[in-house]
Amino acid sequence: MKIQFKIEYLTHFGQQPMICGSVPELGSFQEDKALPLILTDLELGVWSIEIETKDVSKPISYFYFVKDENFKTAILEWGDRRVLSINDGTDEIIYINDFWRAKSNPYYTLFSSAYTGAILKPEKVWKFKPLEKPKGKQVLVHFSIGVTRVEATDRVGIIGNFTGSEPLLMSNSDFPVWKTSVWVEIANFPINYKYVIYNEKKADVLFEEAEIDRMFDLPKAATVVCLNDEVFRFPRYPWKGTGVAIPVFSLRRNDGFGVGEFSDISLLVDWAVKTGIKLIQILPVNDTVATHTWVDSYPYAGISVYALHPIYINLLKIGKLNSVITQNIVEEQGAHLNTLDKIDYDAVMRLKSRFFKLIFDQQKDTFLQSKEFKTFFKENRYWLEPYAAFSYLRDLFNTPDFTTWGKYSKFSKKVLAELCNANATHFADIAVHYFIQYHAHVQLLEASEYARSKGIALKGDIPIGIYRNSVDAWEEPRLYNMNSQAGAPPDDFSAIGQNWRFPTYNWDEMAKDNFAWWQNRLKKLSAYFDAFRIDHILGFFRIWEIPVEQSEGLLGYFNPSIPYYTNEIYAKGIPFDFDRMCKPYIREHFLHRIFGEHTGWVRNNCLDQYERGCFNLKPEFATQRLIEEKLSPSPDATQADRIKYEFIIKGLFALASEVIFIPAKGTDNQAFFPRNSLQFTNSYNELDGHTKHLLNELYIEYFYRRNEEFWKAQAMVKLPVIKDATNMLICGEDLGMVPACVPDVMNDLGILSLEVQRMPKNPKIEFGSPAEYPYMSVATPSSHDTSTIRGWWEEDPARSQKFYNQILGNYGGSPYFCEPWVVKQIIAQHLYSPSMWAIFPLQDLLGMDEKLRLLDARSERINVPANPKHYWRYRMHLSLEELLKEDDFNQLLVRFNKDSGRLGAY
């Protein structure tokens, strides 16, 4: 059997298209034995190769890739390996006409599981029509094309000069690929054809492809032809959808326990179906129980990247306690908590934790022997045992800080075996965590499968970091830089930057097994979600790393990034002086401006004067972390002392930040990074004008030019592996100080960007214009980290006035409060945008209805990033059952979605 492969790919210098496959003639899937394709048409970029094989016992799998000698990498296609189904003869000459599947092609985004497994999942399988025997000189032609945008009553077909008056209908047995085969007389070549969408009920073609007919001429001697056309050329606008964003903890149902639960997602799905919404976006749902206090309400500090939070378990779905009195009390307490406007995290967790212990003691014998649990345990043992052991030790030592656990501070297989020994007397304290995680898994999976069955995609959220005191850090500390902290440089959220206190990733170590930690994590998530948001995707290019001895984000730097060596700084004309520019610049004349009445106390207790008017921080106050530890008021301090010392700490932090350069680790003070926002320091302001000018040039070069290609290369090592780990739809949160290389990388990989109207990517404009957003994006007016539309409107009347006139196009004065009709205008702008997705916080949607929205817009906010002690406790003020009955509001959303083209497949 001879097989001829042909594909089109326009190369750049240094690129070579390759083919690799399952048979020895194609390298047996060993990329180093892949075959280089031969260029047969330079202008069109046509590449081909012919092989001969006698292995016709099973289908041949193969894939294309491009060797790129410029970057020493391989450019991979989107999707799974291609499959050639072999017929029954070894004398066949098969011609395969393929097209390159570019990951950057938005068409393939609709092949992610969000669409194929939920939104556009077919309700019916259209089967093949049996082929008639050939008559005369005919060639067998196999047609295939990938199409997801098909309504339930429709199917894909072909019309052409060989089909007669009726279209040749195709099968979706291999959805999202549609296939059919036909014998074509040789006299009919070249064939002209188009793909069409055919409605079975009307027995008519709804529409055919745009552009001119496809044409194919028969290659000499070919007996079988495979036309793998890939892309249906839709004559209508690209597919668009609407989503709603709401944390699970914020959901409310009538018989809830004071917090949203996994089972509530099904009610939200019913509402989404009713309103034409296609996607539900939630915040991370991992277990964050570290301190057993309200601090654990922060959803981005998971103690495990696998374990689900117990707070989201519906107790009533587990069973009832044998003690009627106890069960009644539990339900009464839950009912009381459900009446609260906000989540009482501590009280909910106390109630649920007590119930878990009681119900486990009651059910443990049958539970541990059940087939369902044993299957779950076998599939999840790799993370479940370490998690249970960690949780057991956390509670035993009364701290998640594993460095204080004595002989258990270092994880080992021996330690794990000892802790998880099923015959040990403490085993019930381990197994209770198996029990909790099993029920969390069952309930989230049930909600997820219900959403898929209703055509709704669930979108999860992956935090960029891991919690420092987590099972992940305990088990595999080599994967993280435990002496560093991740955060963000100063931005609209915080003038001093953000310090998330997570360790940064040791990417070099992770790369050794091709980022298996990330791949496993994503594969686990794909059981529940068909789309996910990568929190702070910029971290895959570079992360804002803060030394562990500092507290604020100001004293961070990008890692990885290229520092400036001393000789390079001198070469730029900057009079570099280590003591003057790298040590805190503290002078008498600005101390009173910072500390006021406390200046004398600070001078006497915290500073050493080394010459008149010049000071250093005393050794015990040399870093922000030392300042924090030394001066933080005790819990029983008076209010006056608390205010005093918090004020002094803030001032000392400012003194510790009075530097222009930050030494790069491991360079023995020979290489440096410019401090972010150095122009706001006293140290900078007291330099001469020429030096300031030179520093500004270096600053701009470092933050905006120097590292661009370097950062791009870093991302292209990690992100393709992460994207290919699953078939989920990926959206990247690309806000903040965005490197210029980020949009191209995300576009090349088919990752959607995030467009927030009040945080435009273009620094020259104040507000984004949704009409100008790219298709491969998520458009949203606000997020869980910002105020809602109404809250933002009321924060700054002058800004709202400008937005009212310039962006909404209204005349006259703007209303002080964001009236429902104004919210509708803003929502409509986003719905009519070109963005693939318009996703709205539920609070913003409710803001369109005078009766449904909260009176106080400030109470709708979920998070305040500038406040590290923020309590995440927002709840819906009406139940999901009540929302489902709001017909006028729900029909308004249907009309909005329909009129903006976000309702159906076409």
Side-chain angles (χ1 to χ4, degrees), residues 468-535:
R468 182 172 297 278
N469 296 320
S470 66
V471 62
D472 309 291
W474 178 55
E475 186 179 7
E476 294 188 279
R478 63 185 177 84
L479 297 180
Y480 320 102
N481 298 316
M482 300 301 291
N483 61 345
S484 297
Q485 308 167 100
D491 56 19
D492 291 344
F493 292 135
S494 174
I496 59 171
Q498 297 176 54
N499 182 356
W500 305 323
R501 304 209 174 193
F502 304 147
T504 57
Y505 294 117
N506 184 343
W507 291 111
D508 291 338
E509 191 66 29
M510 286 185 160
K512 290 179 180 178
D513 59 4
N514 200 31
F515 306 99
W517 183 86
W518 280 99
Q519 293 194 59
N520 294 335
R521 181 182 184 186
L522 289 165
K523 287 172 183 173
K524 176 63 176 174
L525 282 174
S526 67
Y528 312 119
F529 303 107
D530 289 305
F532 69 94
R533 167 189 177 271
I534 300 181
D535 174 49

Coordinates of all heavy atoms in Angstrom, one line a residue, residues 468-535:
R468 N 1.8 28.4 51.2 CA 3.1 28.1 51.8 C 3.0 26.9 52.7 O 3.8 26.0 52.7 CB 3.7 29.3 52.5 CG 5.0 29.1 53.1 CD 5.6 30.4 53.6 NE 5.8 31.3 52.5 CZ 6.8 31.3 51.7 NH1 7.8 30.4 51.8 NH2 6.9 32.2 50.7
N469 N 1.9 26.9 53.5 CA 1.7 25.8 54.5 C 0.7 24.8 54.0 O -0.4 24.7 54.5 CB 1.3 26.4 55.8 CG 2.4 27.2 56.5 OD1 3.5 26.9 56.4 ND2 1.9 28.3 57.1
S470 N 1.0 24.2 52.9 CA 0.1 23.3 52.2 C 0.7 21.9 52.1 O 1.9 21.7 52.2 CB -0.3 23.8 50.8 OG 0.9 23.7 50.0
V471 N -0.2 20.9 51.8 CA 0.3 19.6 51.6 C 1.2 19.5 50.4 O 2.2 18.7 50.3 CB -0.9 18.6 51.4 CG1 -1.7 18.9 50.2 CG2 -0.4 17.1 51.3
D472 N 1.0 20.3 49.4 CA 1.8 20.4 48.2 C 3.3 20.8 48.5 O 4.2 20.1 48.1 CB 1.3 21.3 47.1 CG -0.2 21.1 46.9 OD1 -0.5 20.0 46.3 OD2 -1.0 21.9 47.3
A473 N 3.4 21.8 49.4 CA 4.7 22.2 49.8 C 5.4 21.2 50.7 O 6.6 21.0 50.7 CB 4.6 23.6 50.5
W474 N 4.6 20.6 51.6 CA 5.1 19.6 52.5 C 5.6 18.4 51.7 O 6.7 17.8 52.0 CB 4.0 19.2 53.5 CG 4.3 18.1 54.5 CD1 5.4 18.1 55.3 CD2 3.6 16.9 54.7 NE1 5.4 17.0 56.1 CE2 4.3 16.2 55.7 CE3 2.5 16.4 54.2 CZ2 3.9 15.0 56.2 CZ3 2.0 15.1 54.7 CH2 2.7 14.5 55.7
E475 N 4.9 17.9 50.7 CA 5.2 16.7 50.0 C 6.3 16.9 49.0 O 7.2 16.0 48.9 CB 3.9 16.2 49.3 CG 4.1 14.9 48.6 CD 2.8 14.4 47.9 OE1 1.9 15.2 47.8 OE2 2.8 13.2 47.4
E476 N 6.3 18.0 48.3 CA 7.3 18.2 47.2 C 7.9 19.6 47.3 O 7.8 20.4 46.3 CB 6.7 17.9 45.8 CG 6.3 16.5 45.6 CD 5.9 16.3 44.2 OE1 4.7 16.6 43.8 OE2 6.7 15.7 43.4
P477 N 8.7 19.9 48.3 CA 9.2 21.3 48.4 C 10.2 21.6 47.3 O 10.4 22.8 47.0 CB 9.9 21.2 49.8 CG 10.2 19.8 50.1 CD 9.0 19.1 49.5
R478 N 10.8 20.6 46.7 CA 11.7 20.9 45.6 C 11.1 21.6 44.4 O 11.8 22.2 43.6 CB 12.3 19.5 45.1 CG 11.3 18.6 44.5 CD 11.8 17.3 44.1 NE 10.7 16.4 43.5 CZ 10.3 16.5 42.3 NH1 10.9 17.3 41.4 NH2 9.3 15.7 41.9
L479 N 9.8 21.5 44.3 CA 9.1 22.2 43.2 C 8.8 23.7 43.4 O 8.4 24.3 42.5 CB 7.7 21.5 42.9 CG 7.8 20.0 42.5 CD1 6.4 19.5 42.3 CD2 8.6 19.8 41.3
Y480 N 9.2 24.2 44.6 CA 8.9 25.6 44.9 C 10.1 26.3 45.5 O 10.9 25.6 46.1 CB 7.7 25.6 45.9 CG 6.6 24.6 45.6 CD1 6.5 23.4 46.4 CD2 5.7 24.8 44.5 CE1 5.6 22.5 46.0 CE2 4.8 23.8 44.2 CZ 4.7 22.7 45.0 OH 3.8 21.7 44.7
N481 N 10.1 27.6 45.3 CA 11.1 28.4 46.0 C 10.6 28.9 47.3 O 9.9 29.9 47.4 CB 11.5 29.6 45.1 CG 12.1 29.2 43.7 OD1 12.9 28.3 43.7 ND2 11.6 29.8 42.7
M482 N 10.9 28.1 48.3 CA 10.2 28.4 49.6 C 10.8 29.6 50.3 O 10.2 30.2 51.2 CB 10.4 27.2 50.6 CG 9.8 25.9 50.0 SD 8.0 26.0 49.8 CE 7.4 26.2 51.5
N483 N 11.9 30.1 49.8 CA 12.5 31.3 50.4 C 12.1 32.6 49.6 O 12.7 33.7 49.8 CB 14.1 31.2 50.4 CG 14.6 31.1 49.0 OD1 13.9 30.8 48.0 ND2 15.9 31.3 48.9
S484 N 11.1 32.5 48.8 CA 10.6 33.6 48.0 C 9.1 33.7 48.1 O 8.4 32.7 48.5 CB 11.0 33.5 46.6 OG 12.4 33.6 46.4
Q485 N 8.5 34.8 47.7 CA 7.1 35.0 47.8 C 6.6 35.6 46.5 O 7.3 36.4 45.9 CB 6.7 36.0 48.9 CG 7.3 35.6 50.3 CD 7.2 36.8 51.2 OE1 6.3 36.8 52.1 NE2 8.1 37.8 51.1
A486 N 5.4 35.1 46.0 CA 4.8 35.6 44.8 C 3.9 36.8 45.1 O 3.3 36.8 46.2 CB 4.1 34.5 44.1
G487 N 3.8 37.7 44.2 CA 2.9 38.8 44.4 C 2.7 39.6 43.1 O 2.8 39.0 42.0
A488 N 2.4 40.9 43.2 CA 2.2 41.7 42.0 C 2.8 43.1 42.3 O 2.8 43.6 43.4 CB 0.7 41.8 41.7
P489 N 3.4 43.7 41.3 CA 3.9 45.1 41.4 C 2.8 46.0 41.6 O 1.6 45.7 41.5 CB 4.7 45.3 40.1 CG 4.0 44.4 39.1 CD 3.6 43.2 39.9
P490 N 3.1 47.3 42.0 CA 2.1 48.3 42.2 C 1.2 48.4 41.0 O 1.7 48.3 39.9 CB 2.9 49.6 42.5 CG 4.2 49.1 43.1 CD 4.5 47.8 42.4
D491 N -0.1 48.5 41.2 CA -1.1 48.7 40.1 C -2.3 49.4 40.7 O -2.2 50.0 41.7 CB -1.5 47.3 39.6 CG -2.0 46.4 40.6 OD1 -2.4 46.8 41.7 OD2 -2.0 45.2 40.4
D492 N -3.4 49.4 39.9 CA -4.6 50.1 40.3 C -5.2 49.5 41.6 O -5.9 50.2 42.3 CB -5.7 49.9 39.2 CG -5.3 50.7 38.0 OD1 -4.4 51.6 38.1 OD2 -5.9 50.4 36.9
F493 N -4.9 48.3 42.0 CA -5.4 47.7 43.2 C -4.6 48.2 44.4 O -5.1 48.3 45.5 CB -5.3 46.2 43.1 CG -6.2 45.6 42.1 CD1 -5.8 44.6 41.3 CD2 -7.6 46.0 42.0 CE1 -6.7 44.0 40.4 CE2 -8.4 45.4 41.1 CZ -8.0 44.4 40.3
S494 N -3.3 48.4 44.3 CA -2.5 48.7 45.4 C -1.2 49.5 45.0 O -0.4 49.0 44.2 CB -2.1 47.4 46.2 OG -1.2 47.7 47.2
A495 N -1.0 50.6 45.7 CA 0.2 51.4 45.3 C 1.5 50.8 45.9 O 2.6 51.2 45.4 CB 0.0 52.8 45.9
I496 N 1.4 49.9 46.8 CA 2.6 49.2 47.4 C 2.8 47.8 46.8 O 3.6 47.0 47.3 CB 2.6 49.2 48.9 CG1 1.3 48.5 49.4 CG2 2.7 50.6 49.5 CD1 1.3 48.3 50.9
G497 N 2.0 47.5 45.8 CA 2.1 46.1 45.3 C 1.3 45.2 46.2 O 0.7 45.5 47.2
Q498 N 1.3 43.9 45.8 CA 0.7 42.9 46.5 C 1.6 41.8 46.9 O 2.5 41.4 46.0 CB -0.5 42.3 45.7 CG -1.6 43.3 45.4 CD -2.7 42.6 44.5 OE1 -3.2 41.6 44.9 NE2 -3.0 43.3 43.4
N499 N 1.5 41.3 48.1 CA 2.3 40.1 48.5 C 1.4 39.0 48.9 O 0.7 39.1 49.9 CB 3.2 40.5 49.7 CG 4.1 39.3 50.1 OD1 4.0 38.2 49.5 ND2 5.0 39.6 51.0
W500 N 1.3 38.0 48.0 CA 0.4 36.9 48.3 C 1.0 35.9 49.2 O 0.3 34.9 49.7 CB 0.0 36.2 46.9 CG -0.5 37.2 45.9 CD1 -1.4 38.2 46.2 CD2 -0.3 37.2 44.5 NE1 -1.6 38.9 45.0 CE2 -1.0 38.3 44.0 CE3 0.4 36.4 43.6 CZ2 -1.0 38.6 42.6 CZ3 0.4 36.6 42.3 CH2 -0.3 37.7 41.8
R501 N 2.3 36.0 49.5 CA 3.0 35.1 50.4 C 3.1 33.7 50.0 O 3.4 32.8 50.8 CB 2.4 35.3 51.8 CG 2.5 36.7 52.3 CD 2.6 36.9 53.8 NE 2.7 38.3 54.1 CZ 3.1 38.8 55.3 NH1 3.4 37.9 56.3 NH2 3.2 40.1 55.5
F502 N 2.7 33.4 48.7 CA 2.9 32.0 48.2 C 4.3 31.9 47.8 O 4.9 32.8 47.3 CB 2.0 31.8 47.0 CG 0.5 32.0 47.2 CD1 -0.3 32.5 46.1 CD2 -0.1 31.8 48.4 CE1 -1.6 32.7 46.3 CE2 -1.4 32.0 48.6 CZ -2.2 32.5 47.5
P503 N 4.9 30.7 47.9 CA 6.2 30.5 47.3 C 6.1 30.5 45.8 O 5.1 30.2 45.2 CB 6.6 29.0 47.8 CG 5.3 28.4 48.1 CD 4.4 29.5 48.6
T504 N 7.2 30.9 45.1 CA 7.2 30.8 43.7 C 7.6 29.4 43.2 O 8.1 28.6 44.0 CB 8.2 31.9 43.1 OG1 9.5 31.6 43.6 CG2 7.7 33.3 43.5
Y505 N 7.3 29.2 41.9 CA 7.6 27.8 41.4 C 9.1 27.7 41.0 O 9.7 28.6 40.4 CB 6.7 27.6 40.2 CG 5.3 27.5 40.5 CD1 4.3 28.4 40.0 CD2 4.8 26.5 41.3 CE1 3.0 28.3 40.3 CE2 3.4 26.4 41.6 CZ 2.5 27.3 41.1 OH 1.2 27.2 41.4
N506 N 9.6 26.5 41.2 CA 10.9 26.2 40.7 C 10.7 25.5 39.4 O 10.6 24.3 39.2 CB 11.6 25.2 41.7 CG 13.0 24.8 41.3 OD1 13.4 25.1 40.1 ND2 13.8 24.3 42.2
W507 N 10.6 26.4 38.3 CA 10.3 25.9 37.0 C 11.3 24.9 36.4 O 10.9 24.0 35.7 CB 10.1 27.0 36.0 CG 8.9 27.9 36.3 CD1 8.8 29.2 36.8 CD2 7.5 27.5 36.2 NE1 7.6 29.6 36.9 CE2 6.7 28.6 36.6 CE3 6.9 26.3 35.7 CZ2 5.3 28.6 36.5 CZ3 5.5 26.3 35.7 CH2 4.7 27.4 36.1
D508 N 12.6 25.1 36.8 CA 13.6 24.2 36.3 C 13.4 22.8 36.8 O 13.5 21.8 36.0 CB 15.0 24.7 36.7 CG 15.4 26.0 36.0 OD1 14.8 26.2 34.9 OD2 16.3 26.7 36.5
E509 N 13.0 22.7 38.0 CA 12.7 21.4 38.6 C 11.4 20.8 38.0 O 11.4 19.6 37.7 CB 12.6 21.5 40.1 CG 12.6 20.2 40.9 CD 13.9 19.4 40.8 OE1 14.9 20.1 40.7 OE2 13.8 18.2 40.9
M510 N 10.4 21.6 37.8 CA 9.2 21.1 37.2 C 9.4 20.6 35.8 O 8.7 19.7 35.4 CB 8.1 22.2 37.3 CG 7.6 22.5 38.7 SD 6.2 23.7 38.6 CE 5.4 23.4 40.2
A511 N 10.3 21.2 35.1 CA 10.5 20.9 33.7 C 11.1 19.5 33.5 O 11.0 18.9 32.5 CB 11.4 21.9 33.0
K512 N 11.7 19.0 34.6 CA 12.5 17.7 34.5 C 11.5 16.5 34.1 O 12.0 15.5 33.5 CB 13.2 17.4 35.8 CG 14.4 18.3 36.0 CD 15.1 18.0 37.3 CE 16.3 19.0 37.6 NZ 16.9 18.7 38.9
D513 N 10.3 16.6 34.5 CA 9.3 15.5 34.2 C 8.2 16.1 33.3 O 7.1 15.6 33.3 CB 8.7 14.9 35.4 CG 8.0 15.8 36.4 OD1 7.9 17.0 36.0 OD2 7.6 15.4 37.4
N514 N 8.6 17.1 32.5 CA 7.6 17.8 31.6 C 6.4 18.3 32.3 O 5.3 18.2 31.8 CB 7.2 16.8 30.5 CG 6.6 17.5 29.3 OD1 7.0 18.6 29.0 ND2 5.7 16.9 28.6
F515 N 6.6 18.9 33.5 CA 5.6 19.6 34.2 C 4.4 18.7 34.6 O 3.2 19.0 34.5 CB 5.0 20.8 33.4 CG 6.1 21.8 33.0 CD1 6.6 21.7 31.7 CD2 6.7 22.7 33.8 CE1 7.6 22.6 31.3 CE2 7.7 23.5 33.5 CZ 8.2 23.5 32.2
A516 N 4.8 17.5 35.0 CA 3.8 16.5 35.4 C 2.9 17.0 36.5 O 1.7 16.6 36.5 CB 4.5 15.2 35.8
W517 N 3.4 17.8 37.4 CA 2.6 18.3 38.5 C 1.4 19.1 37.9 O 0.3 19.0 38.4 CB 3.5 19.2 39.4 CG 2.8 19.8 40.6 CD1 2.6 19.2 41.8 CD2 2.1 21.1 40.7 NE1 2.0 20.1 42.7 CE2 1.7 21.2 42.0 CE3 2.0 22.1 39.8 CZ2 1.0 22.4 42.4 CZ3 1.3 23.3 40.2 CH2 0.8 23.4 41.5
W518 N 1.7 20.0 36.9 CA 0.6 20.8 36.3 C -0.3 19.9 35.5 O -1.5 20.0 35.5 CB 1.3 21.8 35.4 CG 1.8 23.0 36.1 CD1 3.0 23.3 36.5 CD2 1.0 24.1 36.6 NE1 3.1 24.5 37.2 CE2 1.8 25.0 37.3 CE3 -0.4 24.4 36.5 CZ2 1.4 26.2 37.8 CZ3 -0.8 25.6 37.1 CH2 0.0 26.5 37.7
Q519 N 0.3 18.9 34.8 CA -0.6 18.1 33.9 C -1.6 17.3 34.8 O -2.8 17.2 34.5 CB 0.3 17.1 33.1 CG 1.1 17.8 32.1 CD 1.7 16.8 31.1 OE1 1.0 16.1 30.4 NE2 3.0 16.8 30.9
N520 N -1.1 16.7 35.9 CA -1.9 15.9 36.8 C -3.0 16.8 37.4 O -4.2 16.4 37.6 CB -1.1 15.2 37.9 CG -0.2 14.2 37.3 OD1 -0.4 13.6 36.2 ND2 0.9 13.9 38.0
R521 N -2.6 18.0 37.8 CA -3.6 18.9 38.4 C -4.7 19.2 37.4 O -5.9 19.2 37.8 CB -2.8 20.2 38.8 CG -3.6 21.2 39.5 CD -2.8 22.4 39.8 NE -3.5 23.5 40.5 CZ -3.0 24.6 40.8 NH1 -1.7 25.0 40.4 NH2 -3.7 25.5 41.5
L522 N -4.4 19.5 36.2 CA -5.4 19.9 35.2 C -6.3 18.7 34.8 O -7.5 18.8 34.6 CB -4.7 20.5 34.0 CG -4.1 21.8 34.2 CD1 -3.2 22.2 33.1 CD2 -5.2 22.9 34.3
K523 N -5.7 17.5 34.7 CA -6.5 16.3 34.4 C -7.5 16.1 35.5 O -8.6 15.7 35.2 CB -5.6 15.1 34.2 CG -4.8 15.2 32.9 CD -3.7 14.1 32.8 CE -2.9 14.2 31.5 NZ -1.8 13.3 31.5
K524 N -7.1 16.3 36.7 CA -8.1 16.1 37.8 C -9.2 17.1 37.7 O -10.4 16.8 37.8 CB -7.4 16.3 39.1 CG -8.3 16.2 40.4 CD -9.0 14.9 40.5 CE -9.8 14.8 41.8 NZ -10.6 13.6 41.9
L525 N -8.9 18.4 37.4 CA -9.9 19.4 37.3 C -10.9 19.2 36.1 O -12.0 19.5 36.2 CB -9.2 20.8 37.0 CG -8.7 21.5 38.3 CD1 -7.9 22.7 37.9 CD2 -9.8 21.8 39.3
S526 N -10.4 18.5 35.0 CA -11.2 18.3 33.9 C -12.3 17.3 34.1 O -13.3 17.2 33.3 CB -10.3 17.8 32.7 OG -9.8 16.5 33.0
A527 N -12.3 16.6 35.2 CA -13.4 15.8 35.6 C -14.6 16.6 36.0 O -15.8 16.2 35.8 CB -13.1 14.9 36.8
Y528 N -14.4 17.8 36.5 CA -15.5 18.7 36.9 C -15.8 19.9 36.0 O -16.9 20.3 35.9 CB -15.2 19.3 38.3 CG -14.7 18.3 39.3 CD1 -13.4 18.4 39.9 CD2 -15.5 17.3 39.7 CE1 -13.0 17.5 40.9 CE2 -15.0 16.3 40.7 CZ -13.8 16.5 41.2 OH -13.3 15.6 42.2
F529 N -14.7 20.4 35.3 CA -14.8 21.6 34.5 C -14.5 21.4 33.1 O -13.7 20.5 32.7 CB -13.9 22.7 35.1 CG -14.1 23.0 36.5 CD1 -13.2 22.5 37.5 CD2 -15.3 23.7 36.9 CE1 -13.5 22.8 38.9 CE2 -15.5 24.0 38.3 CZ -14.6 23.5 39.2
D530 N -15.1 22.2 32.2 CA -14.8 22.1 30.8 C -14.2 23.4 30.3 O -13.9 23.6 29.1 CB -16.1 21.9 30.0 CG -16.6 20.5 30.2 OD1 -15.8 19.5 29.9 OD2 -17.7 20.3 30.6
A531 N -14.0 24.3 31.2 CA -13.2 25.6 30.9 C -12.6 26.0 32.2 O -13.0 25.6 33.3 CB -14.2 26.7 30.4
F532 N -11.5 26.7 32.1 CA -10.9 27.3 33.4 C -10.2 28.6 33.1 O -9.8 28.9 32.0 CB -9.9 26.2 34.0 CG -8.7 26.0 33.2 CD1 -7.5 26.6 33.5 CD2 -8.6 25.0 32.3 CE1 -6.3 26.4 32.8 CE2 -7.5 24.7 31.6 CZ -6.3 25.4 31.9
R533 N -10.1 29.3 34.1 CA -9.4 30.6 34.1 C -8.0 30.4 34.8 O -8.0 29.9 35.9 CB -10.2 31.7 34.9 CG -9.5 33.0 35.2 CD -10.4 33.8 36.2 NE -9.8 35.0 36.6 CZ -9.1 35.1 37.7 NH1 -8.8 34.1 38.5 NH2 -8.6 36.3 38.1
I534 N -7.0 30.8 34.1 CA -5.7 30.8 34.7 C -5.5 32.1 35.4 O -5.4 33.2 34.8 CB -4.5 30.6 33.7 CG1 -4.7 29.3 32.9 CG2 -3.2 30.7 34.4 CD1 -3.6 29.0 31.9
D535 N -5.5 32.1 36.7 CA -5.2 33.3 37.5 C -3.8 33.8 37.3 O -2.8 33.1 37.3 CB -5.4 32.9 39.0 CG -5.0 34.0 39.9 OD1 -5.5 35.2 39.7 OD2 -4.3 33.8 40.9

